């Protein structure tokens, strides 16, 4: 197979000629809208499938695709299939679901939901048609676009050079015209911000005309997140010196970026394309505020479609070099075959049990690459994560069809906490196993579901169904079996009561299972458990009593303060003569002769608890009140 040729924009003149000879997009990277559905049919369909009773389904079925399954593993595989995901997307658009036959017919023209293999004839018939949400899906899954030249060759480059997320072309002809005008966009700008590092560079063709990088300490050590992000998440603000320093540095960083954009305003306005990488909280440095350097509605702004490292000058040059490179493929290049070979190679290298985890983590690698880099640089010590123990599919026991049906019924009963149904199923199993002892009841109870490898004991422990946990342990459910994540039923216990069931059972049957392997806590007797409960109840009672006493004392204190405030206001409203009369009356009413009732301050009306400050017959609580009263008396005279 002939290899491709790599060209660079603004450097190779052959590339400019190739862009002018673009005639149409390549068929495997263009999507056209589906046929519209009559809204009346949608409304009719909604009336036919109205939900009568909202409850947890106890049957193995899919309401979206309207199909039923024989066992749990078949249902799990269906939920991961392209057919189910496709019908979910149609349901969100208020469209009718497709049957499996129609979906298989559609797959003949579309290789998968994330990519298209339509023929050249279909493209020529639909050339110039509008590009809608299906084109958006293609743009998300294919960062590069392939255009076909008039001589049959193909040109591939990054899709972000043609349009951003907010200005997607409505017609394929508009896409071609944008590609032909690409050599005229000679001014580019690249802005990167992550973890307190900031870098910007402005390009004219392949030359750098302006660049600037700087760094501020805003990342929390051993945490990997910015101080402002931590404050927003926790709802409070740490008062340490380091936290205050990081907040101050964040403000300085924002101010410095704004001043830099003001100084480069004329150069930035000339840029035809602005490539920005600012993951998560770093976007507040560039967007969203009153005096923000950039606006999200700017059609020139494009996101960088590949993973990047820490924002530095060298990294910006690498990003520009990668964005400006284009590949020229010969006419007979088999794109579909190459993609299939890459996919098969990845699948052979990836274990079956851990494939789902790898796929889930890879989808977020692009958005989190900068934050992960900052975490590694800000902390020399990394926290070791608990490794996931992969379980080979050969270790799972396969049940006959009859026993698998019984297991599915037991699974539903455990999930719904239906104790009566569980007991009936166990009784039926005992009657059947008197005739056919293979497999045993314990083998059925310890059967691990496909995909997650959860047993019935995992399901009941995670939901906190205490009676079912006790019944399963009595019937032979092994707590030493782990699931796909390496978790044992005891680890998944929802509450403390569920863990106590395991510990009590370990005390009653110490040799029945390998409790240490299942990470079950040491055994405990019922008397010891009752003693712990009694201590806990007494502790809660004392806590409640202290809380009640505190509330009562607070209420009494508030009443005394309110009464005192009312008396103080009343005393202030009295005249000087009335105050003297009241003071004499209170002194005569005092029962203890050695105790002189000092009364209230003549200025602020507070009770005097110590030897008062006096002049003439006036008494005051402080020299400030005495001075204020004397000044007031002079002004009134």
């Amino acid at each position: 197979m002939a290899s491709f040729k790599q060209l660079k924009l603004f450097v190779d003149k052959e590339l400019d000629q190739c862009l002018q000879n673009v005639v149409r997009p390549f068929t495997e990277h263009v999507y056209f809208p589906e046929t519209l559905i009559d809204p009346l049919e949608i409304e009719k369909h909604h009336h036919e499938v109205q939900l009568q009773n909202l409850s947890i389904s106890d049957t193995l079925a899919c309401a979206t695709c309207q199909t039923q399954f024989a066992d749990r593993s078949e249902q799990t595989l269906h939920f991961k299939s392209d057919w189910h995901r496709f019908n979910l997307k149609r349901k969100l658009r208020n469209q009718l679901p497709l049957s499996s036959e129609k979906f298989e017919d559609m797959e003949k023209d579309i290789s998968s939901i994330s990519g298209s293999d339509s023929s050249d004839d279909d493209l020529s018939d639909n050339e110039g048609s509008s590009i809608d949400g299906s084109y958006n899906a293609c743009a998300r899954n294919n960062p590069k676009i392939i255009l076909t030249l008039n001589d049959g060759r193909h040109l591939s480059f990054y899709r972000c050079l043609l349009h951003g997320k907010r200005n997607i072309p409505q017609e394929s002809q508009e896409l071609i015209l944008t590609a032909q005008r690409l050599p005229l966009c000679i001014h580019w700008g690249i802005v990167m911000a992550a973890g307190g590092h900031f870098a910007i560079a402005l390009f004219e063709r392949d030359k750098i005309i302006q660049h600037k990088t700087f760094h501020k300490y805003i990342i929390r050590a051993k945490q990997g997140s910015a101080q402002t992000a931590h404050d927003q998440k926790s709802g409070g603000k740490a008062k340490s010196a380091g936290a205050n320093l990081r907040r101050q540095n964040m403000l300085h960083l924002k101010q410095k970026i704004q001043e830099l954009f003001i100084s480069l305003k004329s150069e930035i306005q000339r840029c035809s394309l602005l490539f920005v990488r600012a993951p998560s909280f770093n976007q507040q440095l560039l967007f969203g505020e009153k005096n923000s350097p950039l606006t999200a509605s700017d059609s020139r702004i494009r996101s960088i479609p590949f993973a990047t490292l820490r924002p530095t000058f060298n990294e910006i040059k690498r990003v520009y070099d990668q964005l400006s490179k284009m590949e020229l493929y010969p006419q007979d290049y088999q794109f579909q075959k190459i993609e299939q070979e890459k996919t098969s190679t990845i699948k052979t290298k990836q274990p079956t049990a851990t494939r789902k985890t790898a796929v889930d983590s890879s989808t977020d690698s692009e958005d989190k690459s900068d934050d992960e880099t900052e975490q590694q640089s800000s902390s020399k010590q990394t926290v070791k994560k608990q490794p996931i123990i992969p379980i080979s599919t050969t270790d799972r026991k396969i049940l006959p069809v009859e026993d698998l049906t019984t297991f599915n019924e037991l699974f539903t009963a455990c999930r719904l906490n239906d104790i009566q149904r569980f007991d009936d199923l166990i009784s039926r199993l005992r009657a059947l196993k008197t005739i056919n002892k293979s497999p045993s009841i314990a083998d059925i109870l310890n059967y691990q579901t496909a995909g997650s490898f959860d047993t019935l004991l995992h399901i009941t422990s995670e939901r906190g169904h205490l009676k079912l946990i006790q019944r399963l342990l009595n019937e032979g459910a092994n707590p030493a079996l782990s699931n796909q994540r390496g978790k044992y039923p005891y680890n998944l216990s929802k509450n403390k009561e569920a863990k106590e069931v395991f510990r009590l059972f370990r005390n009653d049957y110490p040799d029945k299972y390998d409790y240490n392997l299942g990470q079950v806590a040491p055994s405990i007797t019922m008397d010891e458990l009752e003693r712990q409960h009694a201590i806990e109840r007494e502790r809660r009672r004392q806590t409640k009593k202290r809380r009640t006493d505190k509330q009562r004392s607070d209420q009494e204190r508030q009443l005394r303060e309110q009464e005192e405030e009312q008396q103080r206001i009343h005393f202030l409203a009295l005249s000087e003569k009335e105050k003297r009369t009241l003071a004499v009356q209170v002194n005569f009413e005092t029962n203890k002769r050695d105790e002189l009732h000092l009364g209230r301050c003549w200025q602020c009306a507070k009770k005097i608890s110590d030897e008062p400050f006096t002049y003439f017959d006036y008494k005051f609580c402080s020299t400030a009140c005495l001075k204020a009263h004397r000044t007031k008396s002079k002004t009134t005279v």
Side-chain angles (χ1 to χ4, degrees):
M1 182 183 298
S3 60
F4 62 88
K5 181 180 180 182
Q6 198 169 58
L7 303 175
K8 191 169 183 180
L9 191 62
F10 307 126
V11 176
D12 298 317
K13 295 183 179 180
E14 182 184 356
L15 182 57
D16 297 346
Q17 185 178 0
C18 292
L19 289 171
Q20 300 303 320
N21 294 332
V22 171
V23 292
R24 58 183 173 84
F26 187 54
T27 56
E28 296 186 5
H29 288 257
V30 171
Y31 289 77
F32 295 98
E34 302 173 358
T35 56
L36 298 177
I37 298 179
D38 187 4
L40 296 178
E41 295 181 1
I42 297 175
E43 185 177 358
K44 180 180 179 181
H45 172 70
H46 283 310
H47 284 294
E48 293 176 355
V49 294
Q50 284 182 347
L51 299 177
Q52 297 178 356
N53 294 317
L54 294 176
S55 61
I56 301 177
S57 174
D58 57 352
T59 60
L60 300 176
C62 175
T64 303
C65 301
Q66 301 177 3
T67 182
Q68 295 185 355
F69 312 98
D71 54 19
R72 178 72 179 174
S73 59
E74 183 180 351
Q75 184 186 31
T76 304
L77 293 176
H78 168 75
F79 289 148
K80 300 178 182 179
S81 64
D82 286 349
W83 177 34
H84 178 72
R85 290 198 297 267
F86 185 74
N87 279 335
L88 281 178
K89 293 179 180 179
R90 293 179 63 87
K91 185 178 181 180
L92 293 175
R93 296 196 297 265
N94 292 330
Q95 296 178 355
L96 294 172
L98 292 182
S99 63
S100 59
E101 293 79 7
K102 291 183 179 180
F103 183 76
E104 290 174 359
D105 294 339
M106 186 184 65
E107 278 189 319
K108 295 178 182 178
D109 297 327
I110 301 177
S111 59
S112 68
I113 295 179
S114 62
S116 174
D117 294 328
S118 45
S119 61
D120 296 341
D121 297 335
D122 296 336
L123 179 67
S124 60
D125 295 338
N126 294 314
E127 191 169 313
S129 300
S130 60
I131 304 175
D132 67 341
S134 54
Y135 180 82
N136 299 345
C138 176
R140 288 192 301 268
N141 292 279
N142 300 288
K144 286 193 173 184
I145 187 173
I146 302 177
L147 302 177
T148 303
L149 308 183
N150 54 6
D151 56 359
R153 293 183 298 173
H154 308 290
L155 185 65
S156 171
F157 54 90
Y158 282 104
R159 196 182 300 269
C160 61
L161 298 179
L162 300 182
H163 60 81
K165 296 180 180 179
R166 297 179 180 273
N167 56 345
I168 297 177
Q170 300 299 319
E171 295 182 355
S172 57
Q173 188 62 29
E174 184 180 353
L175 195 70
I176 296 171
L177 293 176
T178 307
Q180 292 176 352
R181 291 194 298 266
L182 192 57
L184 303 177
C185 302
I186 61 175
H187 293 95
W188 290 13
I190 299 178
V191 182
M192 299 175 63
H197 295 266
F198 177 81
I200 183 175
L202 303 178
F203 295 82
E204 184 176 359
R205 297 185 183 275
D206 58 334
K207 296 180 181 180
I208 300 176
I209 57 176
Q210 291 283 352
H211 70 89
K212 183 68 176 178
T213 60
F214 44 81
H215 168 248
K216 290 288 185 181
Y217 166 61
I218 63 173
I219 299 298
R220 303 168 66 230
K222 299 182 181 181
Q223 299 294 328
S225 60
Q227 185 65 45
T228 54
H230 175 73
D231 294 342
Q232 294 174 1
K233 183 178 180 181
S234 60
K237 289 188 176 181
K239 298 181 180 180
S240 63
N244 293 329
L245 177 61
R246 288 187 290 269
R247 295 189 191 99
Q248 192 69 20
N249 287 342
M250 188 67 176
L251 297 176
H252 290 169
L253 182 61
K254 288 182 180 180
Q255 183 179 0
K256 199 170 183 179
I257 292 175
Q258 291 176 359
E259 293 175 354
L260 179 62
F261 271 82
I262 292 174
S263 63
L264 299 176
K265 184 176 181 181
S266 58
E267 290 84 353
I268 293 176
Q269 287 180 350
R270 287 191 302 171
C271 291
S272 303
L273 300 174
L274 289 176
F275 298 95
V276 179
R277 165 54 62 87
S280 63
F281 78 96
N282 296 280
Q283 292 185 1
Q284 62 180 318
L285 297 172
L286 304 175
F287 304 98
E289 295 186 359
K290 184 177 180 181
N291 298 324
S292 57
L294 300 175
T295 57
S297 59
D298 193 345
S299 61
R300 301 175 300 167
I301 293 179
R302 314 290 166 81
S303 59
I304 300 176
F306 48 82
T308 59
L309 302 178
R310 177 185 296 174
T312 60
F313 181 51
N314 291 331
E315 180 64 12
I316 281 190
K317 291 192 293 185
R318 186 189 72 85
V319 169
Y320 176 81
D321 185 68
Q322 191 166 345
L323 286 173
S324 59
K325 284 181 180 179
M326 300 186 182
E327 294 81 23
L328 184 62
Y329 296 91
Q331 183 176 359
D332 57 346
Y333 195 84
Q334 300 294 330
F335 292 98
Q336 184 178 2
K337 185 176 180 180
I338 296 297
E339 291 296 330
Q340 291 176 355
E341 291 177 357
K342 290 181 180 179
T343 305
S344 61
T345 303
I346 294 174
K347 289 183 179 180
T348 55
K349 291 182 179 180
Q350 205 170 25
T352 304
T354 58
R355 186 177 301 163
K356 181 179 183 297
T357 305
V359 172
D360 292 340
S361 61
S362 64
T363 55
D364 297 331
S365 61
E366 179 180 341
D367 294 334
K368 296 183 179 179
S369 60
D370 297 282
D371 290 341
E372 291 174 356
T373 305
E374 293 303 321
Q375 292 177 15
Q376 295 174 2
S377 62
S378 62
S379 173
K380 294 182 179 180
Q381 298 179 355
T382 56
V383 180
K384 294 183 179 180
K385 295 183 179 180
Q386 183 178 0
I388 296 177
I389 304 175
I391 302 177
S392 175
T393 55
T394 57
D395 298 338
R396 294 179 60 246
K397 296 181 180 180
I398 306 301
L399 297 178
V401 178
E402 298 81 4
D403 293 329
L404 189 59
T405 303
T406 305
F407 173 81
N408 290 331
E409 295 178 0
L410 286 170
F411 183 92
T412 304
C414 291
R415 186 178 62 180
L416 300 178
N417 197 21
D418 193 343
I419 300 176
Q420 182 63 37
R421 186 176 182 181
F422 179 86
D423 293 339
D424 295 342
L425 291 171
I426 293 296
S427 301
R428 189 177 70 180
L429 275 177
R430 287 174 180 168
L432 293 175
K433 295 308 173 183
T434 55
I435 303 174
N436 184 12
K437 297 183 179 181
S438 180
S440 63
I441 297 178
D443 293 337
I444 298 175
L445 297 180
N446 292 321
Y447 176 75
Q448 294 174 301
T449 58
S452 63
F453 290 164
D454 285 333
T455 63
L456 297 178
L457 199 56
H458 283 89
I459 302 301
T460 53
S461 301
E462 191 172 7
R463 287 164 172 78
H465 300 160
L466 306 182
K467 294 183 179 180
L468 284 177
I469 294 175
Q470 184 69 37
R471 283 171 166 76
L472 285 171
L473 291 173
N474 290 329
E475 296 297 336
N478 191 357
L481 293 178
S482 62
N483 60 7
Q484 177 61 39
R485 298 176 294 167
K487 299 292 185 180
Y488 295 93
Y490 183 82
N491 304 133
L492 299 178
S493 298
K494 183 179 180 181
N495 46 39
K496 185 178 179 180
E497 290 75 11
K499 293 184 177 181
E500 290 174 352
V501 174
F502 284 94
R503 298 179 66 187
L504 289 172
F505 188 85
R506 181 175 183 176
N507 180 74
D508 297 338
Y509 304 94
D511 300 328
K512 189 170 184 178
Y513 303 112
D514 190 353
Y515 299 100
N516 293 329
L517 179 61
Q519 301 179 1
V520 179
S523 60
I524 187 172
T525 62
M526 181 60 71
D527 296 337
E528 179 66 19
L529 186 62
E530 288 294 336
R531 189 182 68 83
Q532 292 182 2
H533 287 173
I535 294 175
E536 182 66 20
R537 287 194 297 269
E538 179 64 21
R539 185 187 65 82
R540 289 197 297 266
R541 189 184 68 80
Q542 293 293 339
T543 303
K544 184 179 179 180
K545 183 177 180 299
R546 286 194 299 269
R547 189 186 307 112
T548 304
D549 293 342
K550 186 177 182 302
Q551 291 176 355
R552 186 183 299 109
S553 62
D554 291 343
Q555 291 176 358
E556 293 175 355
R557 178 177 53 82
Q558 291 177 1
L559 290 175
R560 289 195 302 269
E561 290 177 354
Q562 292 176 2
E563 184 179 357
E564 171 64 21
E565 182 65 19
Q566 291 176 359
Q567 292 179 3
R568 191 181 71 85
I569 295 173
H570 176 68
F571 187 82
L572 288 175
L574 298 177
S575 62
E576 296 290 336
K577 184 178 180 180
E578 291 173 340
K579 289 179 181 178
R580 291 191 187 95
T581 303
L582 181 62
V584 172
Q585 180 181 358
V586 171
N587 287 335
F588 276 108
E589 290 178 356
T590 305
N591 296 327
K592 297 181 180 180
R593 295 181 177 274
D594 57 342
E595 179 182 351
L596 178 63
H597 185 84
L598 303 178
R600 296 180 178 273
C601 176
W602 287 60
Q603 179 63 25
C604 64
K606 290 183 179 178
K607 282 188 177 181
I608 302 175
S609 59
D610 202 352
E611 187 69 22
F613 298 92
T614 62
Y615 81 94
F616 299 127
D617 293 334
Y618 306 117
K619 298 180 177 63
F620 304 95
C621 62
S622 64
T623 56
C625 290
L626 187 149
K627 184 177 180 180
H629 186 272
R630 181 174 292 178
T631 305
K632 179 180 177 182
S633 300
K634 289 180 179 180
T635 56
T636 54
V637 174

